[in-house]
Short mmCIF file of all heavy atoms in Angstrom, two decimals:
data_model
loop_
_atom_site.label_atom_id
_atom_site.label_comp_id
_atom_site.label_asym_id
_atom_site.label_seq_id
_atom_site.Cartn_x
_atom_site.Cartn_y
_atom_site.Cartn_z
N GLU A 11 -18.76 -3.64 24.86
CA GLU A 11 -18.46 -4.97 25.44
C GLU A 11 -19.11 -6.08 24.74
O GLU A 11 -18.55 -7.15 24.48
CB GLU A 11 -18.85 -4.93 26.97
CG GLU A 11 -18.00 -4.08 27.87
CD GLU A 11 -18.55 -4.06 29.28
OE1 GLU A 11 -19.55 -4.60 29.49
OE2 GLU A 11 -17.77 -3.49 30.18
N ALA A 12 -20.36 -5.80 24.31
CA ALA A 12 -21.06 -6.81 23.50
C ALA A 12 -20.36 -7.07 22.20
O ALA A 12 -20.27 -8.28 21.80
CB ALA A 12 -22.51 -6.30 23.36
N LYS A 13 -19.91 -6.06 21.52
CA LYS A 13 -19.26 -6.20 20.22
C LYS A 13 -17.93 -6.91 20.47
O LYS A 13 -17.59 -7.86 19.62
CB LYS A 13 -18.98 -4.77 19.61
CG LYS A 13 -20.23 -4.11 19.07
CD LYS A 13 -19.87 -2.89 18.34
CE LYS A 13 -21.17 -2.19 17.77
NZ LYS A 13 -20.79 -0.89 17.17
N ALA A 14 -17.31 -6.60 21.50
CA ALA A 14 -15.96 -7.25 21.80
C ALA A 14 -16.15 -8.77 21.99
O ALA A 14 -15.44 -9.67 21.50
CB ALA A 14 -15.28 -6.54 22.98
N GLN A 15 -17.22 -9.07 22.81
CA GLN A 15 -17.49 -10.46 23.08
C GLN A 15 -17.96 -11.14 21.84
O GLN A 15 -17.47 -12.31 21.44
CB GLN A 15 -18.67 -10.49 24.13
CG GLN A 15 -18.28 -10.11 25.46
CD GLN A 15 -19.41 -10.14 26.49
OE1 GLN A 15 -20.49 -10.45 26.09
NE2 GLN A 15 -19.20 -9.80 27.69
N ALA A 16 -18.65 -10.46 20.94
CA ALA A 16 -19.05 -11.06 19.66
C ALA A 16 -17.88 -11.32 18.80
O ALA A 16 -17.74 -12.39 18.16
CB ALA A 16 -20.03 -10.16 18.92
N ASN A 17 -16.94 -10.34 18.77
CA ASN A 17 -15.74 -10.51 17.87
C ASN A 17 -14.95 -11.63 18.43
O ASN A 17 -14.24 -12.36 17.72
CB ASN A 17 -14.93 -9.25 17.91
CG ASN A 17 -15.66 -8.15 17.09
OD1 ASN A 17 -16.51 -8.43 16.23
ND2 ASN A 17 -15.38 -6.91 17.37
N GLU A 18 -14.83 -11.79 19.74
CA GLU A 18 -14.06 -12.85 20.32
C GLU A 18 -14.67 -14.18 19.98
O GLU A 18 -13.96 -15.19 19.66
CB GLU A 18 -13.97 -12.69 21.86
CG GLU A 18 -13.11 -13.74 22.58
CD GLU A 18 -13.07 -13.45 24.06
OE1 GLU A 18 -13.69 -12.46 24.57
OE2 GLU A 18 -12.48 -14.29 24.83
N LEU A 19 -15.99 -14.33 19.94
CA LEU A 19 -16.64 -15.57 19.69
C LEU A 19 -16.33 -15.86 18.19
O LEU A 19 -16.16 -17.00 17.76
CB LEU A 19 -18.08 -15.42 20.02
CG LEU A 19 -18.47 -15.40 21.39
CD1 LEU A 19 -20.03 -15.15 21.59
CD2 LEU A 19 -18.06 -16.69 22.14
N ILE A 20 -16.45 -14.80 17.37
CA ILE A 20 -16.24 -15.01 15.94
C ILE A 20 -14.82 -15.51 15.63
O ILE A 20 -14.54 -16.36 14.91
CB ILE A 20 -16.60 -13.69 15.10
CG1 ILE A 20 -18.04 -13.43 15.22
CG2 ILE A 20 -16.11 -13.82 13.68
CD1 ILE A 20 -18.39 -11.96 14.62
N GLU A 21 -13.85 -14.84 16.41
CA GLU A 21 -12.46 -15.15 16.17
C GLU A 21 -12.22 -16.63 16.52
O GLU A 21 -11.45 -17.41 15.88
CB GLU A 21 -11.60 -14.23 16.95
CG GLU A 21 -10.06 -14.49 16.79
CD GLU A 21 -9.24 -13.57 17.63
OE1 GLU A 21 -9.87 -12.66 18.20
OE2 GLU A 21 -8.04 -13.68 17.60
N LYS A 22 -12.85 -17.01 17.63
CA LYS A 22 -12.70 -18.41 18.14
C LYS A 22 -13.27 -19.43 17.17
O LYS A 22 -12.87 -20.52 16.93
CB LYS A 22 -13.24 -18.55 19.48
CG LYS A 22 -12.42 -17.82 20.57
CD LYS A 22 -13.09 -18.08 21.96
CE LYS A 22 -12.28 -17.40 23.05
NZ LYS A 22 -12.81 -17.55 24.41
N SER A 23 -14.39 -19.01 16.58
CA SER A 23 -15.13 -19.95 15.70
C SER A 23 -14.53 -20.06 14.32
O SER A 23 -14.81 -20.93 13.54
CB SER A 23 -16.58 -19.43 15.53
OG SER A 23 -16.65 -18.18 14.86
N LEU A 24 -13.62 -19.05 13.78
CA LEU A 24 -13.06 -19.00 12.55
C LEU A 24 -11.85 -19.97 12.47
O LEU A 24 -10.65 -19.59 12.53
CB LEU A 24 -12.68 -17.65 12.08
CG LEU A 24 -13.83 -16.65 11.82
CD1 LEU A 24 -13.29 -15.24 11.48
CD2 LEU A 24 -14.74 -17.21 10.79
N THR A 25 -12.04 -21.35 12.32
CA THR A 25 -10.98 -22.25 12.21
C THR A 25 -10.48 -22.39 10.74
O THR A 25 -11.10 -21.62 9.83
CB THR A 25 -11.38 -23.65 12.60
OG1 THR A 25 -12.47 -24.04 11.76
CG2 THR A 25 -11.90 -23.59 14.03
N GLU A 26 -9.42 -23.00 10.35
CA GLU A 26 -8.88 -23.10 9.11
C GLU A 26 -9.86 -23.72 8.14
O GLU A 26 -10.04 -23.36 6.93
CB GLU A 26 -7.54 -23.84 9.05
CG GLU A 26 -6.85 -23.94 7.69
CD GLU A 26 -5.52 -24.53 7.75
OE1 GLU A 26 -5.07 -24.96 8.93
OE2 GLU A 26 -4.92 -24.74 6.72
N ASN A 27 -10.50 -24.79 8.56
CA ASN A 27 -11.40 -25.49 7.64
C ASN A 27 -12.67 -24.66 7.37
O ASN A 27 -13.21 -24.56 6.28
CB ASN A 27 -11.90 -26.80 8.42
CG ASN A 27 -10.78 -27.77 8.45
OD1 ASN A 27 -9.86 -27.85 7.51
ND2 ASN A 27 -10.77 -28.69 9.46
N VAL A 28 -13.05 -23.84 8.49
CA VAL A 28 -14.26 -22.91 8.25
C VAL A 28 -14.00 -21.93 7.21
O VAL A 28 -14.74 -21.56 6.37
CB VAL A 28 -14.66 -22.37 9.60
CG1 VAL A 28 -15.75 -21.27 9.35
CG2 VAL A 28 -15.32 -23.39 10.46
N LEU A 29 -12.68 -21.34 7.46
CA LEU A 29 -12.35 -20.23 6.48
C LEU A 29 -12.21 -20.80 4.99
O LEU A 29 -12.60 -20.11 4.13
CB LEU A 29 -10.97 -19.70 6.87
CG LEU A 29 -10.95 -18.89 8.18
CD1 LEU A 29 -9.57 -18.52 8.55
CD2 LEU A 29 -11.87 -17.64 7.96
N ARG A 30 -11.63 -22.04 4.91
CA ARG A 30 -11.54 -22.71 3.57
C ARG A 30 -12.87 -22.92 2.94
O ARG A 30 -13.18 -22.70 1.78
CB ARG A 30 -10.73 -23.98 3.66
CG ARG A 30 -10.48 -24.59 2.26
CD ARG A 30 -9.66 -25.88 2.28
NE ARG A 30 -8.38 -25.62 2.89
CZ ARG A 30 -7.87 -26.03 4.05
NH1 ARG A 30 -8.70 -26.72 4.80
NH2 ARG A 30 -6.69 -25.77 4.45
N TYR A 31 -13.82 -23.38 3.80
CA TYR A 31 -15.14 -23.68 3.37
C TYR A 31 -15.86 -22.43 2.89
O TYR A 31 -16.49 -22.34 1.81
CB TYR A 31 -16.00 -24.31 4.53
CG TYR A 31 -17.45 -24.52 4.14
CD1 TYR A 31 -17.90 -25.53 3.29
CD2 TYR A 31 -18.38 -23.67 4.66
CE1 TYR A 31 -19.14 -25.61 2.92
CE2 TYR A 31 -19.75 -23.84 4.32
CZ TYR A 31 -20.15 -24.78 3.47
OH TYR A 31 -21.47 -24.92 3.19
N GLN A 32 -15.75 -21.33 3.74
CA GLN A 32 -16.37 -20.11 3.37
C GLN A 32 -15.80 -19.41 2.11
O GLN A 32 -16.50 -18.81 1.32
CB GLN A 32 -16.25 -19.03 4.52
CG GLN A 32 -17.07 -19.38 5.67
CD GLN A 32 -16.99 -18.42 6.74
OE1 GLN A 32 -16.12 -17.47 6.70
NE2 GLN A 32 -17.87 -18.48 7.75
N MET A 33 -14.43 -19.67 1.89
CA MET A 33 -13.77 -19.20 0.69
C MET A 33 -14.34 -19.90 -0.52
O MET A 33 -14.60 -19.31 -1.52
CB MET A 33 -12.22 -19.38 0.86
CG MET A 33 -11.45 -18.80 -0.37
SD MET A 33 -9.69 -19.09 -0.25
CE MET A 33 -9.71 -20.90 -0.39
N LEU A 34 -14.50 -21.27 -0.42
CA LEU A 34 -14.97 -21.99 -1.49
C LEU A 34 -16.43 -21.60 -1.77
O LEU A 34 -16.87 -21.66 -2.95
CB LEU A 34 -14.92 -23.52 -1.14
CG LEU A 34 -13.44 -24.14 -1.09
CD1 LEU A 34 -13.51 -25.56 -0.65
CD2 LEU A 34 -12.79 -23.96 -2.46
N GLN A 35 -17.23 -21.19 -0.79
CA GLN A 35 -18.56 -20.83 -1.00
C GLN A 35 -18.74 -19.64 -1.81
O GLN A 35 -19.65 -19.44 -2.64
CB GLN A 35 -19.29 -20.69 0.34
CG GLN A 35 -19.54 -21.97 1.16
CD GLN A 35 -20.50 -22.87 0.44
OE1 GLN A 35 -21.48 -22.50 -0.16
NE2 GLN A 35 -20.18 -24.26 0.45
N ILE A 36 -17.78 -18.74 -1.64
CA ILE A 36 -17.84 -17.39 -2.35
C ILE A 36 -16.93 -17.42 -3.65
O ILE A 36 -16.97 -16.39 -4.38
CB ILE A 36 -17.54 -16.23 -1.51
CG1 ILE A 36 -16.05 -16.36 -1.06
CG2 ILE A 36 -18.50 -16.18 -0.25
CD1 ILE A 36 -15.59 -15.15 -0.22
N TRP A 37 -16.09 -18.56 -3.93
CA TRP A 37 -15.26 -18.57 -5.09
C TRP A 37 -16.04 -18.70 -6.37
O TRP A 37 -16.91 -19.63 -6.48
CB TRP A 37 -14.21 -19.64 -4.93
CG TRP A 37 -13.15 -19.59 -6.00
CD1 TRP A 37 -12.46 -18.62 -6.57
CD2 TRP A 37 -12.66 -20.81 -6.67
NE1 TRP A 37 -11.56 -18.96 -7.44
CE2 TRP A 37 -11.62 -20.30 -7.67
CE3 TRP A 37 -12.94 -22.17 -6.64
CZ2 TRP A 37 -11.01 -21.28 -8.49
CZ3 TRP A 37 -12.22 -23.08 -7.49
CH2 TRP A 37 -11.26 -22.50 -8.35
N ASP A 38 -15.72 -17.91 -7.38
CA ASP A 38 -16.44 -17.98 -8.71
C ASP A 38 -15.77 -18.96 -9.68
O ASP A 38 -16.09 -18.98 -10.85
CB ASP A 38 -16.55 -16.60 -9.25
CG ASP A 38 -15.16 -15.95 -9.50
OD1 ASP A 38 -14.18 -16.65 -9.20
OD2 ASP A 38 -15.11 -14.83 -10.03
N GLY A 39 -14.78 -19.69 -9.27
CA GLY A 39 -14.18 -20.71 -10.10
C GLY A 39 -12.91 -20.21 -10.88
O GLY A 39 -12.35 -20.84 -11.65
N LYS A 40 -12.57 -18.81 -10.79
CA LYS A 40 -11.53 -18.21 -11.58
C LYS A 40 -10.23 -18.22 -10.62
O LYS A 40 -10.41 -18.04 -9.39
CB LYS A 40 -11.88 -16.87 -11.96
CG LYS A 40 -13.01 -16.84 -12.92
CD LYS A 40 -13.34 -15.33 -13.28
CE LYS A 40 -14.56 -15.25 -14.23
NZ LYS A 40 -14.79 -13.91 -14.59
N LEU A 41 -9.15 -18.48 -11.29
CA LEU A 41 -7.90 -18.42 -10.58
C LEU A 41 -7.49 -16.93 -10.34
O LEU A 41 -7.80 -16.01 -11.13
CB LEU A 41 -6.76 -19.12 -11.30
CG LEU A 41 -6.97 -20.68 -11.53
CD1 LEU A 41 -5.90 -21.20 -12.43
CD2 LEU A 41 -6.92 -21.32 -10.08
N PRO A 42 -6.66 -16.67 -9.42
CA PRO A 42 -6.19 -15.34 -9.16
C PRO A 42 -5.23 -14.83 -10.26
O PRO A 42 -4.50 -15.60 -10.75
CB PRO A 42 -5.57 -15.36 -7.74
CG PRO A 42 -5.14 -16.79 -7.61
CD PRO A 42 -6.16 -17.64 -8.29
N ALA A 43 -5.25 -13.55 -10.59
CA ALA A 43 -4.46 -12.98 -11.61
C ALA A 43 -3.13 -12.42 -11.00
O ALA A 43 -2.18 -12.24 -11.80
CB ALA A 43 -5.20 -11.80 -12.33
#
């Protein structure tokens, strides 16, 4: 139940801007092949 609640909170917190920001944080500057 705790994991489910945590996943639910994570799911609610992952907005489009957040995902884009996190993607930019881990991008190495190379374009996809």
Side-chain angles (χ1 to χ4, degrees):
E11 289 178 352
K13 287 182 179 180
Q15 290 177 358
N17 292 334
E18 184 179 355
L19 291 174
I20 291 172
E21 184 179 355
K22 290 181 178 180
S23 64
L24 293 178
T25 62
E26 183 177 353
N27 291 331
V28 170
L29 292 174
R30 184 180 295 110
Y31 173 76
Q32 289 182 349
M33 183 182 68
L34 291 175
Q35 289 295 318
I36 63 174
W37 187 43
D38 57 357
K40 296 180 181 181
L41 293 173

